Amino acid sequence: MSWTMQQVRELKVNRYLVIDDEPCKIIELTTSKPGKHGEAKARIVAIGIFTGNKRSMVAPVTHKVQVPIIEKRIAQVVSIQGTEAQLMDMESYEMFNIEIPEEFRDKIEAGQEVSYQDALGRRQITRV
């Protein structure tokens, strides 16, 4: 399990949550006052950390949502094949292939160390 449960009222801007099975970073969070017969609601606007798509949701502040556990790790580039790189994790020595983001394609080289993040079984290079 790579996520935990948290109440909407405990969320803050620049933290993470899962919307439609996509880990997202919260960029806007507003709450409304409780109505005569209802409870307070929160409106959350977030950006997917892997896709960059903007997503939003409205939920009662007592509602529980999934919060992804995001691991930031370091790996060494073993080889590069086109737009993919083969990386080796520096702690576990696990080897895996990963798509190189557009902004790093001309900067990445074999033997170099890169930072990557792992959330909900998906990985992405974050820094070269």
Side-chain angles (χ1 to χ4, degrees):
M1 184 166 80
S2 57
W3 49 268
T4 61
M5 295 298 282
Q6 199 171 32
Q7 279 192 337
V8 172
R9 70 166 43 110
E10 298 168 354
L11 298 175
K12 292 183 169 73
V13 173
N14 291 328
R15 298 262 177 97
Y16 300 91
L17 86 152
V18 177
I19 301 176
D20 300 329
D21 294 327
E22 174 74 26
C24 300
K25 184 174 186 175
I26 300 170
I27 58 169
E28 190 180 316
L29 179 73
T30 55
T31 55
S32 64
K33 294 182 180 180
K36 186 175 179 183
H37 299 291
E39 55 185 317
K41 294 209 175 10
R43 183 176 179 276
I44 301 166
V45 178
I47 294 180
I49 61 174
F50 294 117
T51 61
N53 293 341
K54 195 178 217 183
R55 299 172 186 266
S56 63
M57 69 178 282
V58 176
V61 293
T62 56
H63 186 71
K64 288 197 173 217
V65 293
Q66 294 176 345
V67 176
I69 297 170
I70 299 174
E71 292 185 43
K72 296 182 191 257
R73 305 184 71 130
I74 297 184
Q76 183 177 14
V77 179
V78 177
S79 65
I80 298 171
Q81 304 93 20
T83 61
E84 267 196 6
Q86 184 177 29
L87 301 182
M88 179 180 68
D89 188 281
M90 297 303 282
E91 286 181 35
S92 67
Y93 301 110
E94 174 192 2
M95 302 277 280
F96 57 91
N97 289 341
I98 191 167
E99 183 77 22
I100 303 171
E102 193 73 40
E103 68 261 25
F104 301 135
R105 289 204 176 137
D106 56 342
K107 299 176 188 171
I108 200 163
E109 300 172 357
Q112 184 178 18
E113 286 189 4
V114 295
S115 298
Y116 74 95
Q117 61 187 6
D118 187 344
L120 299 178
R122 294 167 64 188
R123 296 178 173 140
Q124 178 182 32
I125 296 173
T126 55
R127 188 172 43 213
V128 175

